[in-house]
Amino acid sequence: MAYQNLLLEQAESGIYVLTVNRPQALNALNATTLNELAQAVAQVAADAGARVLLVTGAGDKAFVAGADISEMQQLTATQAQAFSEQGMQVMHALEALPLPVIALVQGYALGGGCELALACDWIIASERAVFGQPEVNLGIPPGFGGTQRLARLVGRARALELVTTARQIKAEEALAIGLVIQVVPAAQLRDRGMAVARTIAAKGPVAVRLAKQAVQRGQDLDLANACAYETAAFALAFATTDQQEGMRAFLEKRAAKFSGG
Ligand code: DAK
């Protein structure tokens, strides 16, 4: 499918790269881009062979510099609600993909851009990455889940400090507070993302999916119920050919060939 503001490529078998492609506006998210993001996520979700999704921005200046301010400026409250809901749905859909989703952040990830990265499972940043929730500069609070996902990831106090001051932080500080899990030289960002994606793509797909779902669902449950969820996921894996193949391969001292069944 051809998109106006996105590039969606299958870089290698099972490894998709989704690039927000409006570099002239620092990849800002307008309504068209949000619509296309929803379609692209659905396209990946529909491919049973999809194993990993890498999300990035075009150019070296920005991942995504936020929601499109020129488009937002004229919104009525009702339109703002629709815009926020549209953005929220995209973030939820991305989060719910049954495969790891990794944000590769070069340059600015501000406002809706930071929220897009937060909706991914984890973030790898280039040394030049800059993160922030500058919405209060514009007289609005974050609207695509930033108040919630940021607080869950870095803690309430750090999230509140960032959201209420609009302070922008560089990659090194983002690493220190746990917003990103790794910082790499800018020129190595895509290679690093591809290397991680290849590692994951070689594992048992059902196991990867069950693990992602257990971590995600478990975070909203108390420990006993979360562990019960894990038990169910663990047991389910024993109904798969991947479990038989994985264990047989270990005992036969060879690499496993997973089919995803
Ligand atoms: N929207 C639209 N255009 C943008 C943009 C944005 N967010 N960010 C940059 N651009 C455009 C600039 O206008 C400029 O366009 P031209 O003038 O060349 O036509 C071009 O990209 C290059 O930007 P600059 O010339 O400004 O580049 P600099 O290197 O000087 O500065 C910057 C880079 C990232 C520091 C600066 O562009 C900047 O501060 N950008 C805005 C960052 C920002 O405030 N982002 C947060 C947006 S608020 C809601 C749901 C969600 C949201 C809100 C409400 N609902 C409840 C309805 C989300 C809100 C946000 O994300």
Side-chain angles (χ1 to χ4, degrees):
M1 192 183 293
Y3 297 102
Q4 189 183 318
N5 296 334
L6 298 180
L7 300 169
L8 180 63
E9 50 168 325
Q10 189 160 181
E12 288 176 22
S13 179
I15 302 176
Y16 280 89
V17 181
L18 174 59
T19 305
V20 181
N21 188 29
R22 288 185 78 211
Q24 71 282 8
L26 302 189
N27 304 319
L29 302 175
N30 58 9
T32 302
T33 310
L34 282 174
N35 273 329
E36 291 188 347
L37 276 171
Q39 290 171 43
V41 171
Q43 190 181 331
V44 174
D47 180 356
R51 297 289 175 258
V52 181
L53 173 63
L54 303 174
V55 179
T56 193
D60 56 7
K61 202 166 166 189
F63 173 73
V64 167
D68 191 303
I69 298 169
S70 58
E71 229 182 57
M72 266 193 306
Q73 186 198 5
Q74 306 292 343
L75 296 183
T76 63
T78 314
Q79 289 167 330
Q81 184 178 7
F83 185 64
S84 180
E85 283 171 1
Q86 184 191 21
M88 291 286 197
Q89 278 165 14
V90 169
M91 307 303 162
H92 288 318
L94 199 56
E95 208 165 45
L97 275 175
L99 44 92
V101 180
I102 306 170
L104 303 180
V105 174
Q106 80 290 23
Y108 293 106
L110 301 176
C114 190
E115 291 165 306
L116 178 65
L118 283 164
C120 298
D121 293 315
W122 66 88
I123 303 171
I124 302 176
S126 102
E127 287 166 344
R128 294 208 284 264
V130 176
F131 296 85
Q133 297 287 161
E135 287 88 343
V136 291
N137 289 335
L138 303 169
I140 56 173
F144 292 159
T147 60
Q148 304 310 307
R149 291 193 180 89
L150 185 62
R152 281 165 168 76
L153 194 59
V154 306
R156 184 182 62 173
R158 285 195 175 105
L160 267 171
E161 188 263 333
L162 291 172
V163 167
T164 59
T165 63
R167 186 168 69 86
Q168 296 182 9
I169 62 172
K170 294 184 176 161
E172 195 182 328
E173 184 175 351
L175 181 65
I177 66 173
L179 174 54
V180 312
I181 66 158
Q182 192 178 19
V183 178
V184 299
Q188 292 172 22
L189 186 61
R190 183 171 165 124
D191 286 351
R192 182 64 204 147
M194 286 300 296
V196 177
R198 275 184 211 112
T199 300
I200 295 167
K203 309 301 180 197
V206 180
V208 170
R209 181 170 74 235
L210 290 173
K212 171 171 171 169
Q213 288 169 341
V215 170
Q216 279 185 330
R217 303 267 169 86
Q219 288 202 314
D220 295 328
L221 298 172
D222 61 85
L223 186 61
N225 280 305
C227 287
Y229 187 96
E230 183 180 293
T231 293
F234 183 79
L236 187 59
F238 283 75
T240 68
T241 53
D242 279 359
Q243 174 267 330
Q244 291 167 21
E245 164 62 10
M247 294 189 179
R248 194 182 308 120
F250 174 82
L251 294 172
E252 293 172 1
K253 302 188 188 305
R254 60 174 174 83
K257 286 193 189 129
F258 293 112
S259 64

